[in-house]
Amino acid sequence: MCVAAQTCDAAYCLVCCALCVQESITLTLLNSSTNGKSSVNRLLATLPKNEYKRLLPKLTTVSLVLGEELYEPGDVIKYVYFPNDSIISLISELSETSWLEVGMVGNEGMAGLAVFMGVASSSTSALVQGSGTAMRMSSASVRTEANRLGNFHRLLHRYSHSLLTQISQSAVCNRFHLVDARLARWLLMTNDRLGLEEFPLTQEFLSSMLGVRREGVSKAAGALQSGKLIRYTRGVITILNRRGLEAKSCHCYAIVKAETDAYLN
Ligand SMILES: [Zn+2]
């Protein structure tokens, strides 16, 4: 049933129309999700109906698989990705065996932001960290739509600042904060974007994401497990106490989340 019919008696009301637009967009995108996970790309869902309708023929739903590499450094970016219920990590490679996550893109954003900034190739790797679906758009279409200087352009500008905040906060976090607090932050960010309390995660992968040795990851995960905040068995992490995890995390999580929520609202 239409939201407006339940909340307003007016025959025509701009507030209700906005609610209806949001509802129809959300329902359309929900059909693209998998595994019953109720997540949509929030950047696209924030667009007004007319802009979203214009973009729709240019968007293709794709399934992303854990470990899939979408770009390598230097690759020409042919497509950008708006995750629905998947997560894409932006990875900076230090050597063939050493790399570090510098940013995380989930349902709040878009992978391939360099295209919007006028750069054709990627400076980082883009690795699927959480399986799920995403809306894919060609880089040419992104340029065309951004050049209209409408809400799509405005939102990508705001998202650029949001991602910059996340990346700069991660740099501070990696340098100054304890591994267990960083692990708590990373798990909360993953939980927000995947919409799941339980997800596969190997120590090797986590070690690379956080830029610490496996022993350090094992010790930090053990501390969170002892506090009954998570369960970690056979490569699967389960979040048992989200509030406790928030209390354990460094303040970087709250800073980045507040910036993300602000830009989407
Ligand atoms: Zn931190």
Side-chain angles (χ1 to χ4, degrees):
M1 177 184 278
C2 171
V3 173
Q6 302 172 351
T7 57
C8 182
D9 293 329
Y12 179 75
C13 164
L14 283 176
V15 174
C16 290
C17 284
L19 282 171
C20 283
V21 167
Q22 209 59 52
E23 186 181 45
S24 70
I25 287 174
T26 301
L27 287 173
T28 303
L29 289 171
L30 271 175
N31 291 332
S32 304
S33 295
T34 56
N35 303 325
K37 290 187 279 181
S38 57
S39 188
V40 299
N41 186 276
R42 295 161 69 198
L43 189 156
L44 292 176
T46 304
L47 287 170
K49 188 177 184 179
N50 59 337
E51 281 202 44
Y52 176 72
K53 271 189 166 179
R54 197 181 61 237
L55 291 186
L56 202 50
K58 301 178 179 181
L59 291 165
T60 305
T61 307
V62 292
S63 293
L64 302 181
V65 180
L66 180 67
E68 185 180 351
E69 193 166 41
L70 304 175
Y71 320 122
E72 286 185 21
D75 279 357
V76 171
I77 300 172
K78 294 179 182 173
Y79 299 102
V80 304
Y81 297 84
F82 300 89
N84 293 321
D85 52 0
S86 55
I87 299 182
I88 299 166
S89 285
L90 307 180
I91 307 286
S92 186
E93 294 183 10
L94 309 172
S95 68
E96 281 192 8
T97 56
S98 178
W99 36 287
L100 176 68
E101 182 186 66
V102 294
M104 183 189 286
V105 181
N107 59 18
E108 83 294 347
M110 179 187 91
L113 196 60
V115 170
F116 172 66
M117 295 178 170
V119 180
S121 59
S122 179
S123 60
T124 61
S125 292
L127 186 74
V128 178
Q129 175 211 310
S131 299
T133 64
M135 310 301 281
R136 191 180 73 180
M137 184 189 280
S138 74
S139 298
S141 294
V142 172
R143 291 188 195 98
T144 302
E145 291 300 327
N147 286 340
R148 292 175 185 270
L149 305 180
N151 283 287
F152 185 63
H153 177 269
R154 181 182 61 78
L155 274 171
L156 286 181
H157 252 302
R158 281 295 280 113
Y159 174 60
S160 302
H161 181 263
S162 175
L163 186 61
L164 191 61
T165 301
Q166 186 201 132
I167 290 171
S168 55
Q169 199 63 42
S170 293
V172 171
C173 195
N174 289 338
R175 173 65 181 81
F176 292 107
H177 295 156
L178 297 174
V179 178
D180 51 352
R182 288 166 53 196
L183 174 58
R185 171 184 68 89
W186 194 88
L187 292 174
L188 288 167
M189 289 178 67
T190 300
N191 178 227
D192 287 346
R193 287 158 178 79
L194 275 185
L196 295 173
E197 309 300 322
E198 189 172 285
F199 40 89
L201 199 59
T202 65
Q203 281 198 12
E204 185 180 12
F205 188 78
L206 201 47
S207 165
S208 296
M209 290 294 111
L210 296 173
V212 295
R213 299 166 79 92
R214 286 181 60 177
E215 295 77 20
V217 170
S218 180
K219 195 176 170 185
L224 297 184
Q225 193 154 233
S226 296
K228 296 187 169 29
L229 304 180
I230 63 166
R231 182 172 60 240
Y232 190 24
T233 50
R234 296 178 183 178
V236 175
I237 286 239
T238 307
I239 295 177
L240 302 174
N241 180 350
R242 195 190 145 93
R243 285 201 170 182
L245 212 51
E246 287 175 6
K248 190 71 180 175
S249 168
C250 50
H251 65 284
C252 301
Y253 171 70
I255 290 172
V256 173
K257 187 174 190 309
E259 163 59 27
T260 303
D261 291 345
Y263 115 76
L264 289 169
N265 290 324

